[in-house]
Amino acid sequence: MSRKSSRSSSSVERDGDLIDFVARIWNKTASEPYYLLHFLVFFSYIPIRFSAAGVLSPSRSGTLLIREIQAVVAFCILTVIKLVREETWETFIANTFFFAKIFLAAIAFVMDYHVALWYTLAFLVIYLSAQQPPHEGLGDLNHLTPLQLETLLTEGNMSRFWLVEFRASSVSSCIRTSSFFPELSITYSNKRLSFGTVDLGLFPNAAEKFGISLDSLNQLPIYKLFDNGTEVSSLSEVDFETYILSPSLTKKHLCRHFELDKLLLDYVNGK
């Protein structure tokens, strides 16, 4: 009897967790314009498709159905590949939406070019009016103003090393990398190494203080490692693209470039 009751209670807990997860996803979709607008545009294809079924000729409907099947199969394959290769959910969602837009516009063009133009206009409006929300997790990061960072570097503090991310919340590349820097801070933060982030979108005039020539916010994110207040290493999205055949930075590239594993081992061994 007790086994049955324990099983039923665990089943109820799992169902409750699933319901809570679905509720959070739905609230996120409803509260963020970026997700809500994409949801509305993507699912608008369903009533449009049913309306077109009564207007298109049988041969045109057959061609459209074949193209839809091909698009769904290709989209699923690309989604699985991206799911395996991408390191952050933000990057995965951005790429998935990008492929979905291409396939939807292509299918709409097979149906009628007016519909394709409507979808193109709708996606343009979304691009101009809403941006993908960044990762909300903080990890062991210190959100700093330029003055706070300058004070920490010049007046000294308990940490010998500071790894700082210079970013802007409005830049798509910063949004795609917004989750793995907090994750790195959880793994590698210690008494000798601290992680910080400075939003240069809010303080663009402070970029030159840290040796950053900011011609455009699209150069961000830029990562700098300071040892006792002196910059010893730097890596940016732009520099990375010049010698790596990959479109964006990952945790592995940051770990390798700044030798975070070595810094952690040195701390553990008391060096």
Side-chain angles (χ1 to χ4, degrees), residues 195-269:
F195 288 73
T197 179
V198 176
D199 192 336
L200 290 183
L202 300 177
F203 307 98
N205 295 329
E208 293 184 1
K209 292 183 179 180
F210 303 101
I212 299 174
S213 179
L214 199 62
D215 298 327
S216 171
L217 290 178
N218 291 325
Q219 298 174 239
L220 303 175
I222 294 175
Y223 301 88
K224 290 182 177 290
L225 180 65
F226 297 91
D227 181 357
N228 288 325
T230 303
E231 179 185 333
V232 294
S233 185
S234 177
L235 181 66
S236 71
E237 181 89 3
V238 176
D239 295 335
F240 172 79
E241 291 176 349
T242 61
Y243 60 88
I244 298 293
L245 299 177
S246 178
S248 61
L249 289 166
T250 66
K251 287 191 291 186
K252 292 181 180 179
H253 299 130
L254 283 180
C255 289
R256 187 184 306 118
H257 183 83
F258 294 110
E259 298 182 329
L260 297 183
D261 290 319
K262 181 178 181 299
L263 292 177
L264 181 60
L265 287 175
D266 289 345
Y267 168 72
V268 172
N269 295 328

Side-chain angles (χ1 to χ4, degrees), residues 67-220:
R67 295 293 181 264
E68 288 173 336
I69 295 174
Q70 292 173 340
V72 170
V73 172
F75 175 75
C76 290
I77 293 174
L78 288 173
T79 300
V80 171
I81 293 174
K82 286 296 180 180
L83 182 61
V84 173
R85 294 184 59 184
E86 297 299 348
E87 197 167 49
T88 68
W89 281 110
E90 287 74 21
T91 304
F92 172 72
I93 291 173
N95 288 331
T96 301
F97 279 3
F98 176 74
F99 292 132
K101 293 172 186 177
I102 293 177
F103 286 123
L104 184 58
I107 293 174
F109 185 80
V110 175
M111 183 188 305
D112 187 274
Y113 75 92
H114 293 95
V115 180
L117 289 176
W118 183 89
Y119 276 117
T120 302
L121 180 61
F123 291 138
L124 180 61
V125 170
I126 293 176
Y127 175 78
L128 295 175
S129 62
Q131 67 175 15
Q132 184 179 3
H135 179 71
E136 296 178 353
L138 182 60
D140 289 329
L141 282 178
N142 297 277
H143 285 282
L144 306 170
T145 64
L147 181 59
Q148 289 173 329
L149 177 59
E150 188 176 16
T151 301
L152 289 171
L153 296 178
T154 55
E155 298 183 1
N157 58 86
M158 295 183 62
S159 295
R160 172 184 170 181
F161 297 97
W162 273 90
L163 182 57
V164 182
E165 177 190 44
F166 296 91
R167 64 193 310 273
S169 300
S170 59
V171 178
S172 59
S173 57
C174 294
I175 294 172
R176 290 195 298 268
T177 61
S178 60
S179 64
F180 70 66
F181 199 62
E183 293 171 1
L184 284 175
S185 70
I186 294 174
T187 304
Y188 293 99
S189 286
N190 54 66
K191 292 182 180 180
R192 296 182 61 194
L193 174 62
S194 296
F195 288 73
T197 179
V198 176
D199 192 336
L200 290 183
L202 300 177
F203 307 98
N205 295 329
E208 293 184 1
K209 292 183 179 180
F210 303 101
I212 299 174
S213 179
L214 199 62
D215 298 327
S216 171
L217 290 178
N218 291 325
Q219 298 174 239
L220 303 175

